[in-house]
Coordinates of all heavy atoms in Angstrom, one line a residue:
M1 N 62.6 -43.1 -32.2 CA 61.8 -42.0 -31.8 C 62.4 -41.1 -30.8 O 62.3 -39.9 -30.9 CB 60.4 -42.5 -31.3 CG 59.4 -41.4 -31.1 SD 59.0 -40.6 -32.6 CE 57.7 -39.6 -32.1
K2 N 63.1 -41.7 -29.8 CA 63.7 -40.9 -28.7 C 64.8 -40.0 -29.4 O 65.0 -38.9 -28.9 CB 64.4 -41.9 -27.7 CG 63.5 -42.5 -26.8 CD 64.3 -43.2 -25.7 CE 63.8 -44.6 -25.6 NZ 64.6 -45.3 -24.5
Y3 N 65.5 -40.5 -30.4 CA 66.6 -39.7 -31.0 C 66.0 -38.5 -31.7 O 66.6 -37.5 -31.7 CB 67.4 -40.6 -31.9 CG 68.1 -41.7 -31.2 CD1 67.7 -43.0 -31.4 CD2 69.1 -41.5 -30.4 CE1 68.3 -44.1 -30.7 CE2 69.8 -42.5 -29.7 CZ 69.3 -43.8 -29.9 OH 70.0 -44.8 -29.2
L4 N 64.9 -38.7 -32.4 CA 64.3 -37.6 -33.1 C 63.9 -36.5 -32.1 O 64.1 -35.3 -32.4 CB 63.0 -38.0 -33.9 CG 63.3 -38.9 -35.1 CD1 62.0 -39.3 -35.8 CD2 64.2 -38.1 -36.2
V5 N 63.3 -36.9 -31.0 CA 62.9 -35.9 -30.0 C 64.1 -35.2 -29.5 O 64.2 -33.9 -29.3 CB 62.1 -36.5 -28.8 CG1 61.9 -35.6 -27.7 CG2 60.8 -37.1 -29.4
S6 N 65.2 -35.9 -29.2 CA 66.5 -35.3 -28.7 C 67.0 -34.3 -29.7 O 67.5 -33.2 -29.4 CB 67.5 -36.4 -28.4 OG 67.0 -37.2 -27.4
I7 N 67.1 -34.7 -31.0 CA 67.6 -33.8 -32.0 C 66.8 -32.6 -32.1 O 67.3 -31.4 -32.2 CB 67.7 -34.6 -33.4 CG1 68.8 -35.6 -33.3 CG2 68.0 -33.6 -34.5 CD1 68.8 -36.6 -34.5
A8 N 65.4 -32.7 -32.1 CA 64.6 -31.5 -32.2 C 64.8 -30.6 -31.0 O 64.8 -29.4 -31.2 CB 63.1 -32.0 -32.3
A9 N 64.9 -31.2 -29.8 CA 65.2 -30.3 -28.6 C 66.5 -29.6 -28.8 O 66.6 -28.4 -28.4 CB 65.2 -31.2 -27.4
L10 N 67.5 -30.2 -29.2 CA 68.8 -29.6 -29.4 C 68.7 -28.4 -30.4 O 69.3 -27.4 -30.2 CB 69.9 -30.6 -29.9 CG 70.4 -31.5 -28.8 CD1 71.4 -32.5 -29.4 CD2 71.1 -30.8 -27.7
L11 N 68.0 -28.6 -31.5 CA 67.9 -27.6 -32.5 C 67.1 -26.4 -31.9 O 67.5 -25.2 -32.2 CB 67.1 -28.1 -33.7 CG 67.9 -29.1 -34.6 CD1 67.0 -29.7 -35.7 CD2 69.1 -28.4 -35.2
L12 N 66.1 -26.7 -31.1 CA 65.3 -25.5 -30.5 C 66.2 -24.8 -29.5 O 66.2 -23.6 -29.5 CB 64.1 -26.1 -29.8 CG 63.0 -26.5 -30.7 CD1 61.9 -27.2 -29.9 CD2 62.4 -25.3 -31.5
L13 N 67.0 -25.5 -28.8 CA 67.9 -24.8 -27.8 C 68.9 -24.0 -28.4 O 69.3 -23.0 -28.0 CB 68.5 -25.9 -26.8 CG 67.5 -26.5 -25.8 CD1 68.2 -27.6 -25.0 CD2 67.0 -25.5 -24.9
S14 N 69.5 -24.5 -29.5 CA 70.5 -23.7 -30.2 C 70.0 -22.4 -30.8 O 70.6 -21.4 -30.7 CB 71.2 -24.5 -31.3 OG 70.3 -24.8 -32.4
G15 N 68.7 -22.5 -31.3 CA 68.1 -21.3 -31.7 C 67.8 -20.3 -30.6 O 67.9 -19.1 -30.7
C16 N 67.4 -20.8 -29.4 CA 67.1 -20.0 -28.3 C 68.3 -19.2 -27.8 O 68.2 -18.1 -27.4 CB 66.6 -20.8 -27.1 SG 64.9 -21.5 -27.5
S17 N 69.5 -19.8 -27.8 CA 70.7 -19.1 -27.4 C 71.0 -18.0 -28.3 O 71.4 -16.9 -27.8 CB 71.9 -20.1 -27.3 OG 72.2 -20.6 -28.6
D18 N 70.8 -18.2 -29.6 CA 71.0 -17.0 -30.5 C 70.0 -15.9 -30.3 O 70.4 -14.8 -30.2 CB 70.9 -17.5 -32.0 CG 72.2 -18.0 -32.5 OD1 73.3 -17.6 -32.0 OD2 72.2 -18.7 -33.5
T19 N 68.8 -16.3 -30.1 CA 67.7 -15.3 -29.9 C 68.0 -14.5 -28.6 O 67.9 -13.3 -28.6 CB 66.3 -16.0 -29.8 OG1 66.1 -16.7 -31.0 CG2 65.2 -15.0 -29.5
G20 N 68.4 -15.2 -27.5 CA 68.7 -14.4 -26.3 C 69.8 -13.5 -26.5 O 69.8 -12.4 -26.0
A21 N 70.9 -13.9 -27.1 CA 72.1 -13.1 -27.3 C 71.7 -11.9 -28.3 O 72.2 -10.8 -28.0 CB 73.2 -13.9 -27.9
V22 N 70.9 -12.2 -29.3 CA 70.5 -11.1 -30.2 C 69.7 -10.0 -29.5 O 69.9 -8.9 -29.6 CB 69.7 -11.7 -31.4 CG1 69.0 -10.7 -32.2 CG2 70.7 -12.5 -32.3
T23 N 68.7 -10.5 -28.7 CA 67.8 -9.5 -28.0 C 68.7 -8.7 -27.0 O 68.5 -7.5 -26.8 CB 66.6 -10.1 -27.3 OG1 67.1 -11.2 -26.4 CG2 65.7 -10.7 -28.3
N24 N 69.7 -9.3 -26.3 CA 70.5 -8.6 -25.4 C 71.4 -7.6 -26.1 O 71.6 -6.5 -25.6 CB 71.4 -9.6 -24.6 CG 70.7 -10.4 -23.6 OD1 69.6 -10.0 -23.1 ND2 71.3 -11.5 -23.2
A25 N 71.8 -7.9 -27.3 CA 72.6 -7.0 -28.1 C 71.8 -5.8 -28.6 O 72.2 -4.7 -28.6 CB 73.2 -7.7 -29.3
V26 N 70.5 -6.0 -28.9 CA 69.6 -4.9 -29.3 C 69.4 -4.0 -28.1 O 69.5 -2.8 -28.2 CB 68.3 -5.5 -29.9 CG1 67.3 -4.4 -30.1 CG2 68.5 -6.2 -31.2
K27 N 69.1 -4.7 -27.0 CA 68.8 -3.8 -25.8 C 70.0 -3.0 -25.4 O 69.9 -1.8 -25.0 CB 68.5 -4.8 -24.6 CG 67.0 -5.3 -24.7 CD 66.8 -6.1 -23.4 CE 65.4 -6.7 -23.4 NZ 65.1 -7.4 -22.1
A28 N 71.2 -3.5 -25.6 CA 72.4 -2.8 -25.2 C 72.6 -1.5 -26.0 O 73.2 -0.5 -25.6 CB 73.7 -3.6 -25.4
G29 N 71.9 -1.4 -27.2 CA 72.1 -0.2 -28.1 C 70.9 0.7 -28.0 O 70.9 1.7 -28.6
L30 N 70.0 0.5 -27.1 CA 68.8 1.3 -26.9 C 68.9 2.3 -25.8 O 69.6 2.1 -24.9 CB 67.5 0.4 -26.7 CG 67.2 -0.6 -27.7 CD1 66.0 -1.4 -27.2 CD2 66.8 0.2 -29.0
K31 N 68.2 3.5 -26.0 CA 68.2 4.5 -25.0 C 67.5 4.0 -23.7 O 67.9 4.3 -22.6 CB 67.4 5.7 -25.4 CG 68.0 6.4 -26.6 CD 69.0 7.4 -26.3 CE 69.5 8.1 -27.5 NZ 70.6 8.9 -27.3
D32 N 66.4 3.2 -23.8 CA 65.7 2.7 -22.7 C 65.5 1.2 -22.9 O 64.4 0.7 -23.4 CB 64.3 3.4 -22.6 CG 63.5 2.9 -21.4 OD1 64.0 2.0 -20.6 OD2 62.4 3.5 -21.1
P33 N 66.5 0.4 -22.5 CA 66.5 -1.1 -22.8 C 65.3 -1.8 -22.2 O 64.8 -2.7 -22.8 CB 67.7 -1.6 -22.2 CG 68.6 -0.4 -22.0 CD 67.7 0.8 -21.9
D34 N 64.8 -1.3 -21.0 CA 63.7 -2.0 -20.4 C 62.4 -1.8 -21.1 O 61.4 -2.5 -20.8 CB 63.6 -1.5 -18.9 CG 64.8 -1.9 -18.1 OD1 65.4 -3.0 -18.4 OD2 65.1 -1.2 -17.1
S35 N 62.3 -0.8 -22.0 CA 61.1 -0.6 -22.7 C 60.9 -1.4 -24.0 O 59.9 -1.3 -24.6 CB 61.0 0.9 -23.1 OG 61.9 1.3 -24.1
A36 N 61.9 -2.2 -24.3 CA 61.9 -2.9 -25.6 C 60.8 -3.9 -25.7 O 60.6 -4.7 -24.8 CB 63.3 -3.6 -25.8
E37 N 60.1 -3.8 -26.8 CA 59.0 -4.8 -27.1 C 59.4 -5.4 -28.4 O 59.5 -4.7 -29.5 CB 57.7 -4.1 -27.3 CG 57.2 -3.4 -26.0 CD 55.9 -2.6 -26.2 OE1 55.5 -2.4 -27.3 OE2 55.4 -2.1 -25.2
F38 N 59.7 -6.7 -28.4 CA 60.2 -7.4 -29.6 C 59.1 -8.1 -30.4 O 58.1 -8.6 -29.8 CB 61.2 -8.5 -29.2 CG 62.5 -7.9 -28.6 CD1 62.7 -7.8 -27.3 CD2 63.5 -7.4 -29.5 CE1 63.9 -7.2 -26.8 CE2 64.6 -6.8 -29.0 CZ 64.8 -6.7 -27.6
G39 N 59.3 -8.0 -31.7 CA 58.4 -8.7 -32.6 C 59.2 -9.9 -33.2 O 59.8 -10.7 -32.5
A40 N 59.2 -9.9 -34.5 CA 59.9 -11.0 -35.3 C 61.4 -10.9 -35.0 O 62.0 -9.8 -35.0 CB 59.6 -10.9 -36.7
I41 N 62.0 -12.1 -34.8 CA 63.5 -12.2 -34.6 C 63.9 -13.4 -35.5 O 63.4 -14.5 -35.3 CB 63.9 -12.5 -33.2 CG1 63.4 -11.4 -32.3 CG2 65.4 -12.7 -33.1 CD1 63.6 -11.7 -30.8
D42 N 64.7 -13.1 -36.5 CA 65.2 -14.2 -37.4 C 66.7 -14.1 -37.5 O 67.3 -13.0 -37.7 CB 64.6 -14.0 -38.8 CG 63.2 -14.4 -38.9 OD1 62.9 -15.6 -38.6 OD2 62.3 -13.6 -39.2
V43 N 67.3 -15.3 -37.5 CA 68.8 -15.4 -37.6 C 69.1 -16.3 -38.8 O 68.5 -17.3 -39.0 CB 69.4 -16.1 -36.3 CG1 70.9 -16.2 -36.4 CG2 69.0 -15.3 -35.0
R44 N 70.1 -15.8 -39.6 CA 70.5 -16.5 -40.7 C 72.0 -16.8 -40.6 O 72.7 -16.0 -40.1 CB 70.3 -15.7 -42.1 CG 68.8 -15.4 -42.3 CD 68.1 -16.6 -42.8 NE 66.8 -16.3 -43.3 CZ 65.7 -16.5 -42.7 NH1 65.7 -16.9 -41.5 NH2 64.5 -16.2 -43.3
E45 N 72.4 -18.0 -41.1 CA 73.8 -18.4 -41.0 C 74.2 -19.0 -42.3 O 73.4 -19.8 -42.9 CB 74.0 -19.4 -39.9 CG 75.5 -19.7 -39.7 CD 75.7 -20.5 -38.4 OE1 74.8 -20.9 -37.8 OE2 76.9 -20.8 -38.2
G46 N 75.4 -18.7 -42.9 CA 75.9 -19.2 -44.1 C 77.4 -19.0 -44.2 O 78.0 -18.5 -43.2
P47 N 77.9 -19.2 -45.4 CA 79.4 -19.0 -45.5 C 79.8 -17.5 -45.3 O 80.9 -17.3 -44.9 CB 79.6 -19.3 -47.0 CG 78.4 -20.1 -47.5 CD 77.3 -19.7 -46.5
G48 N 78.9 -16.6 -45.4 CA 79.2 -15.2 -45.2 C 79.1 -14.8 -43.7 O 79.3 -13.6 -43.3
G49 N 78.7 -15.7 -42.9 CA 78.6 -15.5 -41.4 C 77.2 -15.6 -40.9 O 76.3 -16.0 -41.6
K50 N 77.0 -15.1 -39.7 CA 75.7 -15.0 -39.1 C 75.1 -13.6 -39.1 O 75.8 -12.6 -38.8 CB 75.8 -15.4 -37.6 CG 75.8 -16.9 -37.3 CD 75.8 -17.1 -35.8 CE 75.5 -18.5 -35.4 NZ 75.4 -18.7 -34.0
W51 N 73.8 -13.5 -39.5 CA 73.1 -12.2 -39.5 C 71.7 -12.4 -38.9 O 71.2 -13.4 -38.9 CB 73.0 -11.8 -41.0 CG 74.3 -11.4 -41.6 CD1 75.2 -12.3 -42.1 CD2 74.8 -10.1 -41.7 NE1 76.3 -11.6 -42.5 CE2 76.1 -10.2 -42.3 CE3 74.4 -8.8 -41.4 CZ2 76.9 -9.1 -42.5 CZ3 75.1 -7.8 -41.6 CH2 76.4 -7.9 -42.2
A52 N 71.3 -11.3 -38.3 CA 70.0 -11.3 -37.7 C 69.2 -10.0 -38.0 O 69.8 -9.0 -38.2 CB 70.1 -11.5 -36.2
C53 N 67.8 -10.2 -38.1 CA 67.0 -9.0 -38.2 C 66.0 -9.1 -37.0 O 65.4 -10.2 -36.8 CB 66.2 -9.1 -39.5 SG 67.2 -8.7 -40.9
V54 N 65.8 -8.0 -36.4 CA 64.9 -8.0 -35.2 C 64.0 -6.8 -35.3 O 64.4 -5.7 -35.6 CB 65.8 -7.8 -33.9 CG1 64.9 -7.7 -32.7 CG2 66.8 -8.9 -33.8
T55 N 62.7 -7.1 -35.1 CA 61.7 -6.0 -35.0 C 61.6 -5.6 -33.6 O 61.3 -6.4 -32.7 CB 60.3 -6.5 -35.5 OG1 60.5 -7.0 -36.8 CG2 59.3 -5.4 -35.5
V56 N 61.8 -4.3 -33.3 CA 61.7 -3.8 -31.9 C 61.0 -2.4 -31.9 O 61.1 -1.6 -32.8 CB 63.1 -3.7 -31.3 CG1 64.0 -2.7 -32.1 CG2 63.1 -3.4 -29.8
N57 N 60.3 -2.2 -30.8 CA 59.6 -1.0 -30.5 C 60.1 -0.6 -29.1 O 59.9 -1.4 -28.2 CB 58.1 -1.1 -30.6 CG 57.4 0.2 -30.4 OD1 58.0 1.3 -30.4 ND2 56.1 0.1 -30.2
A58 N 60.7 0.6 -29.0 CA 61.2 1.0 -27.7 C 61.1 2.5 -27.6 O 60.9 3.2 -28.5 CB 62.7 0.6 -27.6
R59 N 61.3 3.0 -26.4 CA 61.2 4.4 -26.1 C 62.5 5.1 -26.5 O 63.6 4.6 -26.4 CB 61.0 4.7 -24.6 CG 59.6 4.3 -24.1 CD 59.4 4.8 -22.7 NE 58.1 4.5 -22.3 CZ 57.8 3.8 -21.2 NH1 58.7 3.4 -20.4 NH2 56.5 3.5 -20.9
N60 N 62.2 6.3 -27.0 CA 63.4 7.2 -27.5 C 63.7 8.1 -26.3 O 63.3 8.1 -25.2 CB 63.0 7.9 -28.8 CG 61.8 8.8 -28.6 OD1 61.4 9.2 -27.5 ND2 61.2 9.2 -29.8
S61 N 64.6 9.1 -26.6 CA 65.1 10.1 -25.6 C 64.0 10.9 -25.0 O 64.1 11.4 -23.9 CB 66.1 11.0 -26.2 OG 67.0 10.4 -27.0
F62 N 62.9 11.1 -25.8 CA 61.7 11.9 -25.3 C 60.7 11.1 -24.5 O 59.7 11.6 -24.1 CB 61.1 12.6 -26.5 CG 62.0 13.5 -27.3 CD1 62.5 13.1 -28.5 CD2 62.4 14.7 -26.7 CE1 63.4 13.9 -29.2 CE2 63.3 15.5 -27.4 CZ 63.8 15.1 -28.6
G63 N 60.9 9.8 -24.4 CA 60.0 8.9 -23.7 C 58.9 8.3 -24.5 O 58.1 7.6 -24.0
G64 N 58.9 8.7 -25.8 CA 57.8 8.1 -26.7 C 58.3 6.9 -27.4 O 59.5 6.7 -27.6
Y65 N 57.4 6.0 -27.7 CA 57.7 4.8 -28.5 C 58.0 5.2 -29.9 O 57.3 6.0 -30.5 CB 56.7 3.7 -28.3 CG 56.8 3.0 -27.1 CD1 56.2 3.4 -25.9 CD2 57.6 1.8 -27.0 CE1 56.3 2.6 -24.7 CE2 57.7 1.1 -25.8 CZ 57.1 1.5 -24.7 OH 57.3 0.8 -23.5
T66 N 59.0 4.5 -30.5 CA 59.4 4.8 -31.9 C 58.5 4.1 -32.9 O 58.5 4.5 -34.1 CB 60.8 4.4 -32.2 OG1 60.9 3.0 -31.9 CG2 61.8 5.1 -31.2
G67 N 57.8 3.1 -32.5 CA 57.1 2.3 -33.5 C 58.0 1.2 -34.0 O 59.2 1.2 -33.7
D68 N 57.4 0.1 -34.6 CA 58.3 -1.0 -35.0 C 59.4 -0.6 -36.0 O 59.1 0.1 -36.9 CB 57.4 -2.1 -35.7 CG 56.6 -2.9 -34.7 OD1 56.9 -2.8 -33.5 OD2 55.7 -3.6 -35.1
Q69 N 60.6 -0.9 -35.6 CA 61.7 -0.7 -36.5 C 62.6 -2.0 -36.6 O 62.5 -2.8 -35.7 CB 62.6 0.4 -35.9 CG 61.9 1.8 -35.9 CD 62.7 2.9 -35.7 OE1 64.0 2.8 -35.6 NE2 62.2 4.1 -35.5
Q70 N 63.4 -2.0 -37.7 CA 64.2 -3.2 -37.9 C 65.6 -2.9 -37.5 O 66.2 -1.8 -37.8 CB 64.2 -3.6 -39.4 CG 62.9 -4.1 -39.9 CD 62.4 -5.3 -39.1 OE1 63.1 -6.3 -39.0 NE2 61.2 -5.3 -38.6
V71 N 66.2 -3.8 -36.7 CA 67.6 -3.7 -36.3 C 68.3 -4.8 -37.0 O 67.9 -6.0 -36.9 CB 67.8 -3.7 -34.8 CG1 69.3 -3.7 -34.5 CG2 67.1 -2.6 -34.1
K72 N 69.4 -4.5 -37.8 CA 70.2 -5.5 -38.4 C 71.4 -5.7 -37.5 O 72.0 -4.8 -37.1 CB 70.7 -5.1 -39.8 CG 69.6 -4.9 -40.8 CD 70.1 -4.5 -42.1 CE 69.4 -3.3 -42.5 NZ 69.9 -2.6 -43.6
L73 N 71.8 -7.0 -37.4 CA 73.0 -7.3 -36.6 C 73.8 -8.4 -37.3 O 73.2 -9.2 -38.1 CB 72.6 -7.9 -35.2 CG 71.8 -7.0 -34.3 CD1 70.4 -7.6 -34.3 CD2 72.3 -7.0 -33.0
N74 N 75.1 -8.4 -37.1 CA 75.9 -9.5 -37.6 C 76.8 -10.0 -36.4 O 77.0 -9.3 -35.5 CB 76.8 -9.1 -38.8 CG 78.0 -8.2 -38.5 OD1 77.9 -7.4 -37.6 ND2 79.0 -8.4 -39.2
Y75 N 77.2 -11.3 -36.5 CA 78.0 -11.9 -35.5 C 79.4 -11.8 -35.8 O 79.8 -12.3 -36.9 CB 77.6 -13.3 -35.3 CG 78.3 -14.0 -34.1 CD1 77.8 -13.8 -32.8 CD2 79.4 -14.7 -34.3 CE1 78.4 -14.3 -31.7 CE2 80.0 -15.3 -33.2 CZ 79.5 -15.1 -31.9 OH 80.2 -15.6 -30.8
E76 N 80.2 -11.2 -34.9 CA 81.6 -11.1 -35.2 C 82.4 -11.9 -34.1 O 82.1 -11.6 -32.9 CB 82.1 -9.6 -35.1 CG 81.4 -8.8 -36.2 CD 81.8 -7.3 -36.2 OE1 82.8 -7.0 -35.5 OE2 81.2 -6.5 -36.8
N77 N 83.2 -12.8 -34.5 CA 83.9 -13.7 -33.6 C 84.7 -12.8 -32.6 O 85.3 -11.8 -33.0 CB 84.8 -14.6 -34.3 CG 84.1 -15.8 -34.9 OD1 83.0 -16.2 -34.5 ND2 84.6 -16.3 -36.0
G78 N 84.6 -13.1 -31.3 CA 85.3 -12.3 -30.3 C 84.6 -11.1 -29.8 O 84.9 -10.5 -28.8
Q79 N 83.6 -10.6 -30.6 CA 82.8 -9.5 -30.2 C 81.3 -9.7 -30.0 O 80.6 -8.9 -29.5 CB 83.0 -8.3 -31.2 CG 84.5 -7.8 -31.3 CD 84.6 -6.8 -32.3 OE1 83.7 -6.1 -32.7 NE2 85.8 -6.5 -32.8
G80 N 80.9 -10.9 -30.5 CA 79.5 -11.2 -30.4 C 78.6 -10.5 -31.4 O 79.1 -10.1 -32.5
W81 N 77.4 -10.3 -31.1 CA 76.4 -9.7 -32.0 C 76.6 -8.1 -32.0 O 76.6 -7.5 -31.0 CB 75.0 -10.0 -31.6 CG 74.6 -11.4 -31.9 CD1 74.6 -12.5 -31.1 CD2 74.3 -11.9 -33.2 NE1 74.3 -13.6 -31.7 CE2 74.0 -13.3 -33.0 CE3 74.1 -11.4 -34.4 CZ2 73.7 -14.1 -34.1 CZ3 73.8 -12.2 -35.5 CH2 73.5 -13.6 -35.3
Q82 N 76.8 -7.6 -33.2 CA 77.0 -6.1 -33.4 C 75.9 -5.5 -34.3 O 75.5 -6.1 -35.3 CB 78.3 -5.9 -34.0 CG 79.5 -6.5 -33.2 CD 79.7 -5.8 -31.9 OE1 79.7 -4.6 -31.8 NE2 79.8 -6.6 -30.9
W83 N 75.4 -4.3 -33.9 CA 74.5 -3.6 -34.8 C 75.1 -3.2 -36.1 O 76.3 -2.9 -36.1 CB 74.1 -2.3 -34.1 CG 73.1 -2.4 -33.0 CD1 73.1 -3.4 -32.0 CD2 72.0 -1.6 -32.8 NE1 72.0 -3.1 -31.2 CE2 71.3 -2.1 -31.6 CE3 71.5 -0.5 -33.4 CZ2 70.2 -1.5 -31.1 CZ3 70.3 0.1 -32.9 CH2 69.7 -0.4 -31.8
V84 N 74.4 -3.3 -37.2 CA 74.8 -2.8 -38.5 C 73.9 -1.6 -38.8 O 72.8 -1.7 -39.1 CB 74.6 -3.9 -39.6 CG1 75.0 -3.4 -40.9 CG2 75.5 -5.1 -39.2
G85 N 74.5 -0.4 -38.7 CA 73.8 0.8 -39.0 C 72.8 1.1 -37.9 O 72.9 0.6 -36.7
E86 N 71.8 1.9 -38.2 CA 70.8 2.4 -37.2 C 69.5 1.6 -37.5 O 69.3 1.1 -38.6 CB 70.6 3.9 -37.4 CG 71.8 4.7 -37.1 CD 72.1 4.7 -35.6 OE1 71.2 4.7 -34.8 OE2 73.3 4.6 -35.3
P87 N 68.6 1.6 -36.5 CA 67.3 1.0 -36.8 C 66.6 1.7 -37.9 O 66.8 2.9 -38.2 CB 66.5 1.3 -35.5 CG 67.6 1.5 -34.4 CD 68.7 2.1 -35.2
A88 N 65.8 1.0 -38.7 CA 65.2 1.5 -39.9 C 63.7 1.1 -39.9 O 63.3 0.1 -39.4 CB 65.9 1.0 -41.1
E89 N 62.9 2.0 -40.5 CA 61.5 1.8 -40.7 C 61.3 1.1 -42.0 O 60.7 1.6 -42.9 CB 60.7 3.1 -40.6 CG 60.7 3.7 -39.2 CD 59.9 5.0 -39.1 OE1 59.1 5.2 -40.0 OE2 60.1 5.7 -38.1
I90 N 61.7 -0.2 -42.0 CA 61.5 -1.0 -43.3 C 60.8 -2.3 -42.8 O 60.7 -2.6 -41.6 CB 62.9 -1.4 -43.9 CG1 63.8 -2.2 -43.0 CG2 63.6 -0.1 -44.4 CD1 65.0 -2.7 -43.6
S91 N 60.3 -3.0 -43.8 CA 59.6 -4.3 -43.5 C 60.6 -5.3 -43.0 O 61.8 -5.3 -43.3 CB 58.9 -4.8 -44.7 OG 59.8 -5.3 -45.7
H92 N 60.1 -6.3 -42.2 CA 61.0 -7.3 -41.8 C 61.5 -8.2 -42.9 O 62.6 -8.6 -43.0 CB 60.2 -8.2 -40.7 CG 61.0 -9.2 -40.1 ND1 62.0 -8.9 -39.1 CD2 61.1 -10.6 -40.2 CE1 62.6 -10.0 -38.7 NE2 62.1 -11.0 -39.3
E93 N 60.6 -8.3 -43.9 CA 61.0 -9.1 -45.1 C 62.1 -8.4 -45.9 O 63.1 -9.1 -46.3 CB 59.8 -9.2 -46.1 CG 58.7 -10.1 -45.6 CD 57.8 -9.4 -44.5 OE1 57.8 -8.1 -44.4 OE2 57.2 -10.1 -43.7
S94 N 62.2 -7.1 -46.0 CA 63.3 -6.4 -46.6 C 64.6 -6.6 -45.8 O 65.6 -6.8 -46.4 CB 63.0 -4.9 -46.7 OG 61.9 -4.6 -47.6
C95 N 64.5 -6.6 -44.5 CA 65.6 -6.8 -43.7 C 66.1 -8.2 -43.9 O 67.4 -8.4 -44.0 CB 65.2 -6.6 -42.2 SG 66.6 -6.7 -41.0
M96 N 65.2 -9.2 -43.9 CA 65.7 -10.6 -44.1 C 66.3 -10.8 -45.5 O 67.2 -11.6 -45.6 CB 64.5 -11.5 -43.9 CG 64.1 -11.6 -42.5 SD 65.4 -11.9 -41.3 CE 66.1 -13.4 -42.0
E97 N 65.8 -10.1 -46.5 CA 66.5 -10.2 -47.9 C 67.9 -9.8 -47.7 O 68.8 -10.4 -48.3 CB 65.7 -9.4 -48.9 CG 64.4 -10.0 -49.3 CD 63.7 -9.1 -50.3 OE1 64.3 -8.1 -50.9 OE2 62.4 -9.3 -50.4
Y98 N 68.2 -8.7 -47.0 CA 69.5 -8.2 -46.8 C 70.4 -9.2 -46.0 O 71.5 -9.5 -46.4 CB 69.5 -6.9 -46.0 CG 70.8 -6.3 -45.6 CD1 71.5 -5.5 -46.5 CD2 71.3 -6.5 -44.3 CE1 72.7 -4.9 -46.1 CE2 72.6 -6.0 -44.0 CZ 73.2 -5.2 -44.9 OH 74.5 -4.7 -44.5
A99 N 69.8 -9.8 -44.9 CA 70.5 -10.7 -44.1 C 70.8 -12.0 -44.9 O 71.9 -12.5 -44.8 CB 69.7 -11.1 -42.8
D100 N 69.8 -12.5 -45.7 CA 70.1 -13.6 -46.5 C 71.2 -13.4 -47.5 O 72.1 -14.3 -47.7 CB 68.8 -14.0 -47.3 CG 67.8 -14.7 -46.4 OD1 68.1 -15.2 -45.4 OD2 66.6 -14.7 -46.8
T101 N 71.3 -12.2 -48.1 CA 72.3 -11.9 -49.1 C 73.7 -11.9 -48.4 O 74.7 -12.4 -48.8 CB 72.1 -10.5 -49.7 OG1 70.8 -10.6 -50.4 CG2 73.2 -10.2 -50.7
K102 N 73.8 -11.3 -47.2 CA 75.0 -11.2 -46.4 C 75.4 -12.6 -45.9 O 76.6 -12.9 -45.9 CB 74.9 -10.3 -45.2 CG 74.7 -8.9 -45.7 CD 75.9 -8.3 -46.4 CE 75.9 -6.9 -46.6 NZ 77.1 -6.3 -47.3
A103 N 74.5 -13.4 -45.5 CA 74.8 -14.8 -45.0 C 75.4 -15.7 -46.1 O 76.2 -16.5 -45.9 CB 73.6 -15.4 -44.3
R104 N 74.8 -15.5 -47.3 CA 75.3 -16.3 -48.4 C 76.8 -16.0 -48.8 O 77.5 -16.8 -49.3 CB 74.4 -16.1 -49.7 CG 73.1 -16.9 -49.6 CD 72.5 -16.9 -51.0 NE 72.0 -15.6 -51.4 CZ 70.8 -15.1 -51.1 NH1 69.9 -15.8 -50.5 NH2 70.5 -13.9 -51.6
G105 N 77.2 -14.8 -48.5 CA 78.5 -14.4 -48.8 C 78.8 -14.0 -50.2 O 77.8 -14.0 -51.0
P106 N 80.0 -13.7 -50.6 CA 80.3 -13.3 -51.9 C 80.2 -14.4 -52.9 O 80.4 -15.5 -52.6 CB 81.8 -12.8 -51.8 CG 82.3 -13.4 -50.6 CD 81.2 -13.7 -49.7
I107 N 79.7 -14.0 -54.1 CA 79.5 -15.0 -55.2 C 80.9 -15.2 -55.8 O 81.5 -14.3 -56.2 CB 78.5 -14.6 -56.2 CG1 77.1 -14.4 -55.5 CG2 78.4 -15.5 -57.3 CD1 76.1 -13.7 -56.3
E108 N 81.3 -16.5 -55.9 CA 82.6 -16.8 -56.5 C 82.4 -17.2 -57.9 O 81.6 -17.9 -58.4 CB 83.3 -17.8 -55.7 CG 83.6 -17.2 -54.3 CD 84.4 -18.2 -53.5 OE1 85.0 -19.2 -54.0 OE2 84.4 -18.0 -52.3

């Protein structure tokens, strides 16, 4: 039983480190990082690499909130989490379909 608890704790901690790094990468690309309000954050990993989708609402240049938008990120060795394109007003599910496809990698 002790081993199961230890394994579960390690899995949770590994997910937390990705989540923290992902939210920091999103904040780094925002006009007002302190205004960021995060919703769903999902990370996928596979042969095609690591991909993440993040729901974020933050202030724009005019000081108004943009509404929930999806930010896609991929993990690049040596560079960490990088934005892929611009935030989009799409569903989190659509973003995750994209991330799942990228994480699976090319079909051989």
Side-chain angles (χ1 to χ4, degrees):
M1 184 66 170
K2 285 189 231 179
Y3 297 110
L4 290 176
V5 172
S6 297
I7 291 170
L10 286 173
L11 290 174
L12 285 174
L13 289 175
S14 66
C16 291
S17 64
D18 273 339
T19 301
V22 166
T23 56
N24 287 340
V26 171
K27 284 182 176 184
L30 297 174
K31 299 270 184 193
D32 183 357
D34 294 332
S35 70
E37 297 174 352
F38 291 98
I41 300 171
D42 284 300
V43 177
R44 298 288 193 257
E45 185 172 4
K50 278 184 165 181
W51 289 82
C53 287
V54 179
T55 303
V56 65
N57 184 11
R59 288 192 178 126
N60 59 21
S61 317
F62 300 107
Y65 278 88
T66 60
D68 285 347
Q69 296 194 4
Q70 296 299 310
V71 177
K72 293 180 235 170
L73 302 105
N74 74 324
Y75 186 82
E76 297 181 15
N77 287 330
Q79 295 181 21
W81 288 99
Q82 303 292 314
W83 283 44
V84 177
E86 295 294 319
E89 292 182 14
I90 60 172
S91 71
H92 189 73
E93 291 76 21
S94 295
C95 186
M96 288 311 303
E97 286 175 18
Y98 176 85
D100 284 339
T101 300
K102 293 296 189 177
R104 279 193 296 268
I107 299 172
E108 294 182 19

